Amino acid sequence: MLYLSIAQEAEHWLAAFRSTLPELEINAWPAPVDPSRVRYIVTWNPPAGFFADFLNLEAVFAQGAGIDKLLARDDLAPDVHIVRLSNAGMAAQMVEYALFGVLRFQRDFDHYAEQQMDGAWRQHPPRLAEATRVSVLGLGAIGAAVASTLAGLGYRVSGWSRSPRELPGIRCVHGEAALGALLADTDILVGVLPSTPDTRGLLNRERLALLPAGAALINAGRGDLIDLAALVELLDNGRLRGAQLDVFPAEPLAADDALWRHPKLLITPHIAAATLIEPSAAQMADGIRRLQAGELPAGLVERQRAY
Ligand code: OXD
């Protein structure tokens, strides 16, 4: 049985799964089920202890790309597969989010918005895409789409990942040792990294300070990537130009948090890439069929890599 424990639009998810997986028995919370018959669960962040009753569970399908919260739980047996969304319509949204930020900084729209407050008619010399160095941190399905799209538009794109990657038209570097040199060679940094023990705090004070004067930052992966206090200091002292942040160490960002009102920050409420029901259900259904055939599903999490 496939069991859906879904907070929002549960009926829509149920309908999507019933039409994609007609051969499977599917139920959704709060319908009562015999937990011993549940082999697959689709969920995001269920209450503590939720998984304990499902003794024959084979796989949990996360309704998102980041599975840091699932990995941090203590009620999920180590042999249960965790499967994250890989793309499922999120890459295209993330490309748009990154593109908006890159254009905003490259074409000075941040400065023009400030100038408008003062009625200041002041033109800035253009900076061409080909003279704009964009570095993308994270080259999974989403990061690769961001990097390739920006390269296709003429930006000078580099990409950084933990393990080696090759992407046409992108200068790919990998490993912590390569990060410093990359940061020093960046005008706009785009973070689409998951939260793992390797990425938490990766952009610490020391590394942020390696970005050239006037560099800008976009973060749409996970909020714990960045030392926010250090970022604010670098914005306040004029070293960095601005940042567009979609994710935060604690969400929602409290209404009285000073970050909301920082003039050099553009803040969005974790909307860079929303989960789309049909493509997500299609990826998960494919994953279930693969597991049933003894194959590995796309998006299978390597628990020891935490991603
Ligand atoms: C995700 C997210 O992980 O939306 O998919 O943050």
Side-chain angles (χ1 to χ4, degrees):
M1 184 197 301
L2 164 64
Y3 184 56
L4 314 180
S5 169
I6 287 177
Q8 280 167 12
E9 296 191 82
E11 285 302 314
H12 189 165
W13 280 92
L14 189 58
F17 277 110
R18 288 208 165 127
S19 67
T20 341
L21 280 171
E23 70 275 20
L24 215 69
E25 186 186 349
I26 307 174
N27 283 296
W29 182 90
V33 289
D34 170 1
S36 69
R37 298 192 48 239
V38 172
R39 304 260 297 276
Y40 313 105
I41 288 180
V42 174
T43 192
W44 179 237
N45 191 17
F50 168 82
F51 291 112
D53 292 339
F54 299 99
L55 298 176
N56 297 315
L57 188 61
E58 277 178 37
V60 175
F61 290 83
Q63 287 174 281
I67 36 68
D68 37 299
K69 288 212 170 60
L70 280 176
L71 284 177
R73 304 177 65 101
D74 58 7
D75 57 348
L76 206 45
D79 58 338
V80 173
H81 292 306
I82 298 178
V83 185
R84 61 188 167 77
L85 287 181
S86 86
N87 193 345
M90 280 190 288
Q93 298 175 71
M94 201 61 102
V95 165
E96 291 164 354
Y97 187 87
L99 182 58
F100 170 80
V102 167
L103 282 169
R104 180 169 167 268
F105 292 120
Q106 179 227 338
R107 294 300 313 267
D108 293 310
F109 296 132
D110 54 339
H111 291 155
Y112 292 123
E114 267 174 41
Q115 287 177 211
Q116 184 172 346
M117 300 292 177
D118 304 329
W121 186 278
R122 195 163 59 244
Q123 297 168 336
H124 299 279
R127 177 170 54 164
L128 300 183
E130 65 204 40
T132 305
R133 300 165 295 174
V134 181
S135 299
V136 179
L137 302 182
L139 293 176
I142 289 175
V146 170
S148 302
T149 305
L150 292 170
L153 290 169
Y155 292 97
R156 270 171 59 192
V157 182
S158 303
W160 181 87
S161 51
R162 217 181 62 117
S163 38
R165 292 292 311 264
E166 273 182 34
L167 290 168
I170 317 288
R171 180 174 66 111
C172 294
V173 298
H174 67 275
E176 253 184 65
L179 185 56
L182 179 75
L183 294 173
D185 192 26
T186 295
D187 297 311
I188 304 173
L189 187 64
V190 181
V192 285
L193 284 166
S195 173
T196 73
D198 292 330
T199 63
R200 277 172 217 135
L202 190 70
L203 293 185
N204 56 19
R205 183 174 297 269
E206 202 188 346
R207 291 206 179 92
L208 286 172
L210 295 174
L211 287 163
L217 190 150
I218 297 163
N219 190 27
R222 281 292 180 267
D224 55 12
L225 176 73
I226 301 175
D227 178 342
L228 284 176
L231 173 66
V232 167
E233 243 176 72
L234 290 164
L235 293 171
D236 286 344
N237 69 22
R239 166 88 187 168
L240 293 183
R241 169 188 184 148
Q244 175 178 318
L245 304 177
D246 188 52
V247 284
F248 298 87
E251 295 179 5
L253 188 63
D256 61 354
D257 196 305
L259 290 178
W260 283 109
R261 279 159 282 279
H262 196 290
K264 293 192 175 162
L265 287 179
L266 180 69
I267 290 183
T268 50
H270 203 136
I271 47 72
T275 298
L276 304 178
I277 298 180
E278 271 76 20
S280 302
Q283 186 202 307
M284 292 172 187
D286 179 68
I288 289 173
R289 290 209 180 94
R290 280 175 194 264
L291 285 173
Q292 287 178 328
E295 295 166 14
L296 298 181
L300 181 64
V301 172
E302 287 180 46
R303 289 240 190 153
Q304 69 285 6
R305 280 183 60 195
Y307 199 60

